[in-house]
Each structure stands twice: as C-alpha cells, then as structure tokens.
Amino acid sequence: MDIAFSHTFANELDGFYQSCSPEKCTSPRLLQLNTLLAEELGLDHCLLEGEVGVALFSGNALPDNAKPIAQVYAGHQFGMFTSQLGDGRALLIGEVVDGTGTRRDIQLKGSGRTPFSRGGDGKAALGPVLREYLVSEGMHQFGIATTRALAAVGTEDWVAREDLKPRAVLTRVSASHIRVGSFEFFAAKGEWDQVRRLADYAIDRHFPEAKNSEDLYLQFFKSVLRKQAKLIADWMSVGFVHGVMNTDNMTISGETIDYGPCAFMDRYVPSTVFSSIDGHGRYAYENQPKMGQWNLAQLAKALIPLYDEEQERVIQRFVDELDRFNDCYETFWLDNMRAKFGMVSKDKGDGELVKQLLELMHQGGADFTLAFRYLADVRLDDELKFKSQFNAVVNLDDWLARWAERIERDGQSPEECADRMNTVNPIYIPRNHKIEEVLDAAVNRNDLEPFRMMLSVMSEPYSYKSGHEEYAEPSPANAEPYITFCGT
Ligand code: AMP
Ligand code: MG
C-alpha cells in the first residue's frame, strides 16, 4: 500500500535523531485498528486490516518510503535533569498530512532497541499497549488534545517485566513528538543554533501565526504556554492524573503524551497520586498546573539565550509571561467548570460557587465524574442520585439553593440546562478497575472482547448505554488504593 509519508523532521533537523530499524516480531497479528483515525489520515483501512497493516504496524516490513528514526531529547525527571534520553523504544516512521491539512507523526512504540535505549529492551508489553490505547482514545472522546492510537499488534514474543509478559506494539499518531526536553537537550550543551533550528521548525509546524511577531521566540513561548494551560485545565475537568509530567513528557503541540502510570480518579481527593514512583506526590492531581508551569520555566531557560540583547531584560520578559500562566490556566479552568455546572453567562461569583461544591465533594467523598453527571438531574428535580454521591456528613441544600439561583439567572429551561451539562459531564470514563479487568482478560486469557467492549463504551462517553452500568460505577468502596506502575 502506498502511504504518502513525508519526513520534514528527518529532512530538516539533521542531528536531532538517529536512523534505526525496528526489531522484528514473531507472528504478529493485528489486535485493533482505529478505522476512523485511519480514514482521517487518508489511509485505506480495508488494506490496513490485512497483511499490509500487520507488516506496517509490527515494523516487520515497512514501506520503502518509511524512514524510521529515533528522536533525541533530554528531560527533567521528577525535578532532576537527565541530559540524554530520547526514543528508547519508539520510532517515528513518517509523517502524513491528514484530511484537514494537519501534519501528523506516525510512530511505532515498542519497536525494539534504539541508540537511546540505555539499559532498556526497547519493547512494550501487551497490557500497557492496550492501556494507552484505551486511555488515549478516551481522552480524545472527551475532546482533550492527545496523541492517538492507530493500531495495536500482538506478537508471540515475550518481554521481561516483573515476570514475562506478551510483547505488543502500539502505533501512535501525534501532531508531533517535539517535547520540552527536545529543547533542553541542545540547550544543556550550549548548542544554541540547534535550539534555534528546532524552535523555527516547531513554529512553522505548530504556530505559523507567531512568525508575524516581532518577538518570535517569546511569542512561541506564549503559544506553548497557552496550549499547556488549556490542556491541564482540561485534564483537571475530567479528574485525570498524568502521573509523570516530566519535561520529556510535555509536548510543544499541547497534546497529552506518554500514558504511563496515569489514571482518572474516582472519589474527589485533590492530593490523589497513582504512580508508584511518585512517592512525594510531585505530580498529584492538584499539583498539575504548578508542575506545568515549572516545565514551562525549563522551556524558557532554553529559549532565552536565543536573544542577543542583554539577558536580564529578556529573562524579565519570559518571567512576566510565565507569571501569567496562573491567570491563563484559571480562565480555561473556570470556562470548563462553568460548562460542567450548567452556567452560560459569566458571573464574578462563579469561581467561588464552583470551589464550594468541590470542597463539599472532597469532604463528602463524592465520585468526581458521577457528582457532575448527576448534578444535571437536580435541574430535573431528581436530587437523589446526586446526593447519594456524598456521605451523610455534608449538607448540600444551601449550596444547591445558591446554585439554582445562579443557574436560573441564565434563563435556560431545566431541560436545556441538563442537556447542555450532559454534553460535557461524561457518564463513562476509563475507570482503573475496569481497565485492569480488561487487561487481565487480554493478557492472561487471550480474550480481547472486554477490551473492545470498553473501547466501544468509551467511544460515546456522554450517552447512557443500557446494560453498561458497570462502566459508570466507581471501584468498590473497599477496594485497595489504586497504584499504577511505570513498567510500561
Ligand atoms: P517514559 O517514562 O515512558 O516517558 O520514558 C522515559 C525514558 O525511558 C524515555 O527516553 C524512553 O524512551 C525510555 N524507556 C522507557 N521504557 C523503555 C524500554 N522498555 N526500553 C528502552 N527505553 C525505554
Ligand atoms: Mg516519555
């Protein structure tokens, strides 16, 4: 099959990657193909469902015009700088321009060792591949910027993790794979020409409008900051905890990337941490905006030396922008929250009203997703489901009265209001205990049906599907605290 691959990154950014071939897999088989995404990319999904797809998505036989490369980057991991990272288990095989004219990267993840693998095997296990597939596609259905999953391939090979696990390969699609850490790699070596080349490429690809600015790199920085503020505000609105917000896992494009030990919270607890490696809670739910800003400070450090002027003055300009992150984030967050709370107009008391309910949810142990979903029913005179999300300690009546008074000022009918709220408050999220069930079936029983079923439920997260109530339920109250592992 002819895929119109292009290679702007490889052609324009010599020195930013190493060419590398995928390691072959034994008896690959296509486990899942994202046919809608394939269509979006202009690829013939009927062909991809056959041998052509298996050869491509396993990396066993890439088309002649593919050009597999491993990109280099550095990164601050949990605050500590590592000067040499890079695609240790992923290969960018080419770019395609989608139906909207947007250039997208196609990358194999788990395709074997690369020059940047360090001690790792370069491979991926089936569980984490399916997990990333489910969670990234769920994220997309929420309308949140994310890398996408195009295909998952299973193999008859094994990878050594805590024990032996079946090997799989994920094909992921992204607006690009340029990370904050990509800039840090060259900045740490003082290679400012390379930083400039990368910035110019990223501006061309992601923020061409910045080229009209007299202050090009500051404008670029502002654009990245805005995208990240929006992204993190979106995560917060669905209770998502990324888990490893290291600078090598933060994209310039503003897409969520690198679904490792991430998870959605059930009960609303702002200090929620899932990752086994995040002992100090650096990347806890409530810290994500602050950590986003911290990462952006690392990007600023890499861009400031691109200016010839007196550095003090340039630093001040970047710091001023960085200081605006909070306001920018809060604005996006409040817009999201207004929609979740059924507010149409903007009132200066809205933030306070939102925070009061969040506080009650925290005190009352409410499920983050269901509390919002059932708030809409309160408009339709059904308070029971909403109130049953809270333990008996909290009294919701005062707050509900204030909320009703606020909502009524917008003049929508109760039905209109509830319908509107139900388009932004999902009923289904990829809940941890369901993901675990699905992965257990796939990995231990070779049964992919639960995975496909969950994917199908997640494809319409805002509509009730009868018979699928179990996907809406939080894990049982007595479940062990959920912990995710990075062995991805
Ligand atoms: P992550 O935490 O997934 O963002 O990965 C951090 C770094 O470790 C990246 O440079 C990855 O390419 C690398 N890495 C993670 N897992 C492996 C593996 N199995 N083999 C080689 N490199 C890996
Ligand atoms: Mg990563």
Side-chain angles (χ1 to χ4, degrees):
M1 171 166 139
D2 245 4
I3 297 181
F5 278 132
S6 48
H7 304 281
T8 62
F9 188 95
N11 293 341
E12 294 171 35
L13 292 172
D14 190 30
F16 291 71
Y17 62 88
Q18 299 237 6
S19 297
C20 177
S21 297
E23 263 178 66
K24 290 220 164 25
C25 316
T26 312
S27 310
R29 65 191 189 285
L30 190 60
L31 303 178
Q32 191 68 31
L33 174 69
N34 192 336
T35 50
L36 289 178
L37 179 58
E39 271 172 29
E40 209 177 294
L41 298 173
L43 306 178
D44 181 342
H45 66 81
C46 296
L47 262 178
L48 290 176
E49 271 158 8
E51 276 174 30
V52 174
V54 175
L56 174 68
F57 299 131
S58 63
N60 274 8
L62 293 183
D64 287 343
N65 65 345
K67 194 169 182 175
I69 60 167
Q71 294 178 328
V72 70
Y73 48 86
H76 276 86
Q77 301 183 304
F78 292 91
M80 303 290 289
F81 186 63
T82 304
S83 58
Q84 177 71 66
L85 292 166
D87 293 331
R89 52 160 166 182
L91 292 172
L92 169 60
I93 57 173
E95 301 151 13
V96 292
V97 176
D98 71 16
T100 70
T102 307
R103 182 173 297 282
R104 319 263 295 263
D105 279 7
I106 303 204
Q107 194 195 56
L108 302 182
K109 188 169 174 185
S111 47
R113 283 181 56 76
T114 77
F116 308 122
S117 295
R118 299 175 293 164
D121 61 4
K123 294 178 182 151
L126 176 61
V129 162
L130 296 182
R131 193 166 196 282
E132 173 155 350
Y133 200 123
L134 268 176
V135 182
S136 63
E137 285 307 297
M139 203 63 120
H140 172 71
Q141 298 300 341
F142 299 144
I144 300 180
T146 177
T147 60
R148 304 285 306 276
L150 178 60
V153 161
T155 75
E156 285 184 7
D157 300 319
W158 298 89
V159 293
R161 296 293 180 259
E162 314 80 80
D163 46 30
L164 288 182
K165 306 274 189 208
R167 180 185 171 196
V169 182
L170 178 77
T171 302
R172 117 176 137 179
V173 175
S174 74
S176 85
H177 286 86
I178 306 170
R179 304 144 191 269
V180 169
S182 316
F183 289 87
E184 289 179 285
F185 178 81
F186 294 100
K189 300 205 281 183
E191 294 184 12
W192 305 112
D193 283 349
Q194 296 291 67
V195 175
R196 188 186 307 279
R197 282 173 72 202
L198 185 59
D200 290 343
Y201 176 88
I203 290 166
D204 255 344
R205 185 155 171 185
H206 298 298
F207 308 105
E209 65 289 349
K211 284 195 281 191
N212 302 325
S213 165
E214 298 198 342
D215 205 343
L216 183 62
Y217 301 114
L218 185 71
Q219 186 56 43
F220 167 56
F221 180 67
K222 279 160 109 168
S223 308
V224 177
L225 179 145
R226 206 179 146 73
K227 289 266 185 197
Q228 283 297 331
K230 165 80 173 128
L231 178 66
I232 297 170
D234 286 352
W235 289 352
M236 300 300 274
S237 313
V238 290
F240 178 73
V241 183
H242 181 283
V244 229
M245 287 177 68
N246 295 335
T247 53
D248 51 304
N249 292 338
M250 185 191 252
T251 57
I252 293 304
S253 68
E255 285 183 342
T256 313
I257 197 170
D258 283 1
Y259 291 85
C262 61
F264 290 83
M265 61 183 168
D266 287 338
R267 276 192 304 137
Y268 175 59
V269 180
S271 59
T272 298
V273 175
F274 294 109
S275 168
S276 64
I277 53 171
D278 192 6
H280 297 290
R282 180 181 170 92
Y283 300 133
Y285 173 79
E286 64 189 347
N287 285 348
Q288 296 186 114
K290 201 166 66 191
M291 287 298 115
Q293 189 185 29
W294 193 92
N295 288 349
L296 287 161
Q298 310 315 310
L299 178 63
K301 281 196 220 163
L303 296 175
I304 287 166
L306 299 185
Y307 286 82
D308 291 332
E309 320 162 33
E310 193 199 324
Q311 289 286 286
E312 286 302 307
R313 286 183 30 214
V314 186
I315 291 171
Q316 195 52 54
R317 293 213 302 278
F318 276 81
V319 168
D320 289 346
E321 283 312 321
L322 207 50
D323 284 346
R324 291 194 186 107
F325 177 87
N326 280 339
D327 283 348
C328 184
Y329 164 77
E330 285 281 333
T331 304
F332 283 126
W333 178 82
L334 192 52
D335 282 350
N336 285 348
M337 286 296 150
R338 283 197 175 101
K340 288 176 82 70
F341 280 71
M343 300 163 177
V344 180
S345 61
K346 296 186 180 183
D347 187 299
K348 66 176 171 14
D350 292 345
E352 200 44 41
L353 195 59
V354 165
K355 284 176 184 156
Q356 285 163 359
L357 181 65
L358 289 171
E359 181 51 36
L360 291 168
M361 284 165 60
H362 186 197
Q363 281 171 26
D367 181 80
F368 186 81
T369 305
L370 294 182
F372 285 115
R373 182 69 190 196
Y374 295 149
L375 184 60
D377 295 311
V378 176
R379 284 308 282 147
L380 306 174
D381 297 325
D382 174 6
E383 290 189 349
L384 201 64
K385 289 204 293 271
F386 174 71
K387 287 187 167 173
S388 71
Q389 289 305 309
F390 296 75
N391 62 37
V393 183
V394 297
N395 181 344
L396 295 158
D397 292 332
D398 288 350
W399 186 87
L400 283 173
R402 284 198 298 280
W403 176 66
E405 189 269 325
R406 163 68 184 88
I407 292 299
E408 274 153 25
R409 259 187 281 144
D410 279 343
Q412 308 170 86
S413 73
E415 291 74 20
E416 240 182 308
C417 179
D419 284 351
R420 194 186 285 264
M421 289 172 74
N422 286 340
T423 63
V424 291
N425 292 319
I427 177 84
Y428 305 113
I429 56 163
R431 295 207 186 247
N432 309 316
H433 66 290
K434 292 306 288 179
I435 295 180
E436 292 308 322
E437 272 176 44
V438 159
L439 302 191
D440 179 55
V443 175
N444 299 321
R445 298 198 303 280
N446 209 6
D447 178 6
L448 277 160
E449 274 321 301
F451 167 76
R452 294 193 179 121
M453 177 58 80
M454 188 161 175
L455 206 53
S456 140
V457 172
M458 285 312 311
S459 70
E460 286 182 81
Y462 301 103
S463 333
Y464 276 103
K465 284 195 181 64
S466 105
H468 293 151
E469 292 73 16
E470 64 192 283
Y471 292 93
E473 291 300 317
S475 60
N478 59 358
E480 297 276 315
Y482 186 75
I483 299 175
T484 52
F485 296 92
C486 213
T488 45

